[in-house]
Amino acid sequence: MAAWGERLAGVRGVLLDISGVLYDGGEGGGAAIAGSVEAVARLKRSRLKVRFCTNESQKSRADLVGLLRRLGFDVSEGEVTAPAPAACLILKQRGLRPHLLVHDGVRSEFDQIDTSNPNCVVIADAGEGFSYQNMNKAFQVLMELENPVLFSLGKGRYYKETSGLMLDVGPYMKALEYACGIEAEVVGKPSPEFFKSALQEMGVEAHEAQRRAPPGSQG
Amino acid sequence: MAAWGERLAGVRGVLLDISGVLYDGGEGGGAAIAGSVEAVARLKRSRLKVRFCTNESQKSRADLVGLLRRLGFDVSEGEVTAPAPAACLILKQRGLRPHLLVHDGVRSEFDQIDTSNPNCVVIADAGEGFSYQNMNKAFQVLMELENPVLFSLGKGRYYKETSGLMLDVGPYMKALEYACGIEAEVVGKPSPEFFKSALQEMGVEAHEAQRRAPPGSQG
């Protein structure tokens, strides 16, 4: 393995994942992963630019940053790239009004979005919100549209909580894709557009960036 | 369109689907589809053999036949080929002990099956039983197996109830396939083995049979 100095030659910025890299979610909010608080602090003291790029879609950015700060991380809301704000931008640009199947914790990110008479569906990691009734409602909304549009905030298979593995949004995206015979548009990792927007916000080109994601993750 | 006499030349038996062909499910059990009670009666008066071949997996065969008889159909339990009994046969043959994610109405079909210390998962149209918690449990059981085996009783996308379209087992099968990176074994339509067993039970070869399924169905 090359020394860090060599591996980082030409690198100007670092994109850090959050769940599974900085902390594992779970009871009471979760726990910082050993060494990660200090690693972030060291990166911030270095010449490198740092940005946090997450598919977290159970919490608003404000709530996520609040949790991370309580765990000891030096992070502010403006340093976080997350799928819900990216989705809001797309919805506004394309004049779409979503039916939302999302966790209550992230609903506030959509406060400025018109959700009347929906002409698309947005799903995110809804956790317990992925009831049969809620999934069937999202399915029925899609089937009533002439041109069904489904956005999925990420497409992760599962994630780790302190209590064990948990189904992420990806399996539910696949379920609706199969039920309706459509393909979802993924907002968030691993979509290249999402990474590009994170780099833009950091002011760094792709070849100048180094990314750190959890092993086996979709992004 | 050829006359029926011509179309049925050489045909010795008829496989009839049940849901969406004989009746639509819904409030109070559902309603017979116009003309279907008389059509079954005419077939039974004819020289043709008749068998009912269903992916219904919310009800035991006894409950299904009870419902059909109340709706006026001439049908007995021994005339019905259904996925749950077919799955039980496979489980016994292969020495598998299932974790069941099925509707309470069909659980009695598995009364003779050992479900301790599960080494596979069986899913069927569980309706409201497809909660996040139940899906996550099935997922966790699969992920803990060295060789995860998933059986799906059918793989229909959706079905029609009098109240509207309802998600079938197929989307949930796709969800678990994606989450675990595996492929399910489908028991029921459109599996060729399932049709063959129905024909065997009727004593008819495939080229001698005519099938009637709902438009757009998976089987």
Side-chain angles (χ1 to χ4, degrees):
Chain A
M1 189 171 166
W4 275 103
E6 194 176 323
R7 290 187 69 187
L8 290 176
V11 169
R12 288 183 45 222
V14 178
L15 282 185
L16 293 174
D17 199 335
I18 296 178
S19 305
V21 169
L22 301 191
Y23 85 113
D24 283 326
E27 294 285 322
I33 290 171
S36 59
V37 169
E38 175 54 18
V40 169
R42 281 178 60 198
L43 281 169
K44 288 207 155 186
R45 286 196 302 267
S46 78
R47 60 171 181 80
L48 295 166
K49 294 186 182 183
V50 177
R51 193 164 178 87
F52 303 88
C53 186
T54 180
N55 268 9
E56 170 62 57
S57 57
Q58 280 205 352
K59 299 179 189 70
S60 67
R61 273 183 303 183
D63 289 347
L64 179 61
V65 163
L67 165 67
L68 290 173
R69 294 185 70 86
R70 280 195 298 282
L71 295 176
F73 291 100
D74 171 16
V75 54
S76 66
E77 214 175 317
E79 294 173 306
V80 175
T81 299
C88 289
L89 202 61
I90 294 170
L91 293 168
K92 281 179 188 163
Q93 283 167 346
R94 289 164 57 178
L96 291 169
R97 301 176 306 277
H99 170 82
L100 297 172
L101 174 42
V102 303
H103 197 280
D104 283 343
V106 81
R107 208 168 283 272
S108 63
E109 297 274 17
F110 295 89
D111 275 352
Q112 304 305 314
I113 299 291
D114 179 7
T115 56
S116 64
N117 188 23
N119 56 7
C120 73
V121 168
V122 172
I123 63 169
D125 175 16
E128 302 278 347
F130 280 130
S131 65
Y132 181 75
Q133 199 177 10
N134 288 349
M135 279 291 284
N136 211 49
K137 178 64 188 167
F139 162 68
Q140 289 175 343
V141 169
L142 287 167
M143 291 297 275
E144 278 160 20
L145 297 174
E146 196 178 342
N147 176 30
V149 176
L150 171 63
F151 293 100
S152 181
L153 303 198
K155 62 171 190 175
R157 290 163 57 197
Y158 57 87
Y159 52 91
K160 196 177 138 196
E161 297 235 314
T162 44
S163 60
L165 299 181
M166 307 292 285
L167 287 169
D168 200 347
V169 66
Y172 289 93
M173 176 192 85
K174 289 288 175 187
L176 290 175
E177 284 185 337
Y178 178 73
C180 302
I182 61 174
E183 198 168 329
E185 300 183 33
V186 177
V187 180
K189 299 177 286 181
S191 154
E193 289 75 18
F194 190 71
F195 286 120
K196 276 181 205 158
S197 69
L199 293 174
Q200 270 169 7
E201 288 156 343
M202 189 163 58
V204 163
E205 300 287 321
H207 69 272
E208 299 172 323
Q210 180 84 12
R211 191 163 65 87
R212 184 73 187 88
S217 79
Q218 283 289 327
Chain B
M1 189 172 167
W4 275 103
E6 194 177 321
R7 291 187 69 186
L8 291 176
V11 169
R12 287 181 47 221
V14 179
L15 281 185
L16 293 173
D17 200 335
I18 296 178
S19 305
V21 168
L22 302 190
Y23 85 113
D24 284 327
E27 294 284 322
I33 291 171
S36 59
V37 169
E38 175 53 18
V40 169
R42 280 178 61 197
L43 282 169
K44 290 206 154 185
R45 287 195 303 266
S46 77
R47 61 172 180 80
L48 295 165
K49 294 185 181 183
V50 178
R51 193 164 178 86
F52 303 88
C53 186
T54 180
N55 267 9
E56 170 63 57
S57 57
Q58 281 204 353
K59 299 179 189 71
S60 66
R61 273 183 302 184
D63 288 347
L64 180 61
V65 163
L67 166 66
L68 291 173
R69 294 185 70 86
R70 281 195 299 281
L71 295 176
F73 291 99
D74 172 14
V75 53
S76 65
E77 213 175 317
E79 294 172 308
V80 174
T81 299
C88 288
L89 202 62
I90 294 170
L91 293 167
K92 281 178 188 163
Q93 284 167 346
R94 288 163 57 178
L96 292 169
R97 300 176 306 277
H99 170 82
L100 297 172
L101 174 43
V102 303
H103 197 282
D104 282 342
V106 81
R107 210 169 281 273
S108 63
E109 297 273 18
F110 296 89
D111 274 352
Q112 304 304 315
I113 299 291
D114 179 7
T115 56
S116 65
N117 188 22
N119 56 6
C120 73
V121 168
V122 171
I123 63 169
D125 174 15
E128 302 277 348
F130 281 132
S131 65
Y132 181 75
Q133 200 177 8
N134 287 349
M135 279 290 284
N136 211 50
K137 178 64 188 167
F139 162 67
Q140 289 175 344
V141 169
L142 287 168
M143 292 296 276
E144 279 162 20
L145 296 174
E146 196 178 342
N147 176 30
V149 175
L150 170 63
F151 293 100
S152 182
L153 304 197
K155 62 171 191 174
R157 292 162 55 198
Y158 56 87
Y159 53 90
K160 198 178 138 195
E161 297 236 314
T162 46
S163 60
L165 300 181
M166 307 294 284
L167 287 169
D168 201 347
V169 66
Y172 289 92
M173 175 193 85
K174 290 287 176 187
L176 289 176
E177 284 186 337
Y178 178 73
C180 303
I182 60 174
E183 198 169 330
E185 300 183 33
V186 177
V187 180
K189 300 177 287 180
S191 154
E193 288 75 18
F194 190 69
F195 286 119
K196 276 181 206 156
S197 68
L199 292 175
Q200 271 170 7
E201 288 157 342
M202 188 162 60
V204 163
E205 299 288 320
H207 69 274
E208 298 172 322
Q210 180 84 10
R211 191 163 66 87
R212 184 73 187 89
S217 80
Q218 284 288 326

